[in-house]
Amino acid sequence: MNAEESLDQESPNYLLDSNIVSELIKPDAKFCIVQKIAEHNSDCAICATSWHELLYGEVKLQDGAQKSFLRNFINELPGDFKILSYTKKAAEIHAEIRVKIERMGKPAPFADSMIAAVALANRMILVTGNTKHFAAIQKASGLQVENWLE
């Protein structure tokens, strides 16, 4: 096992899906999310795919208060959560997942299966409010999913 694939003792247990992180940006963020993240803060991470989705949203916005708020949020986020890369191991898992779910007749969106592969490669629980998006992936891979929006 190489250094990229090894897990250290301080590896986070929860990989936050983009919709969970996005909840924190909302002026009326659901208290259950804020509470769970506060409770598990040091045990949470996001992946580069979710990081991209946040950056894409910020770049896409017109200049103004909303864009400024999102930019500030993005600038603070790396201090709050570790950002995990899409590694060689994640790519291998991702390819296997995509083939399995395609054979099941239930292809998943590319970004969702990529996020799931990062969670699986790092032996993490994926936290999402979009459990339906990950149902076929769970069935094909044993991905552990928690919905903190419930």
Side-chain angles (χ1 to χ4, degrees):
M1 183 176 284
N2 65 33
E4 178 182 275
E5 295 171 337
S6 68
L7 297 173
D8 59 47
Q9 296 299 325
E10 296 183 29
S11 294
N13 288 316
Y14 298 103
L15 184 67
L16 305 179
D17 189 15
S18 307
N19 72 322
I20 297 296
V21 177
S22 295
E23 187 64 34
L24 297 174
I25 301 166
K26 295 178 182 177
D28 59 341
K30 291 190 169 80
F31 179 72
C32 59
I33 291 295
V34 175
Q35 184 178 27
K36 280 285 215 181
I37 289 176
E39 184 181 324
H40 297 287
N41 193 328
S42 64
D43 208 18
C44 294
I46 65 170
C47 67
T49 306
S50 295
W51 179 244
H52 162 266
E53 289 177 337
L54 288 168
L55 293 171
Y56 175 74
E58 187 260 331
V59 170
K60 204 168 136 176
L61 284 172
Q62 297 291 326
D63 286 338
Q66 189 178 13
K67 182 171 186 152
S68 179
F69 177 81
L70 183 54
R71 184 178 302 124
N72 289 336
F73 178 83
I74 287 169
N75 288 337
E76 295 292 322
L77 197 62
D80 294 333
F81 304 121
K82 186 175 184 179
I83 300 173
L84 302 178
S85 297
Y86 182 74
T87 62
K88 178 180 178 254
K89 181 173 177 103
E92 291 165 358
I93 291 169
H94 189 200
E96 290 173 16
I97 289 170
R98 289 184 66 208
V99 169
K100 285 180 183 177
I101 60 176
E102 285 172 4
R103 287 181 179 157
M104 292 167 47
K106 300 179 187 263
F110 189 83
D112 288 344
S113 55
M114 193 177 209
I115 291 167
V118 171
L120 287 162
N122 289 282
R123 297 184 197 111
M124 298 172 78
I125 298 166
L126 178 66
V127 178
T128 184
N130 295 329
T131 55
K132 287 182 184 178
H133 291 192
F134 295 94
I137 297 169
Q138 278 185 276
K139 191 172 186 179
S141 67
L143 174 69
Q144 294 181 6
V145 174
E146 288 186 12
N147 184 351
W148 288 359
L149 287 172
E150 293 181 328

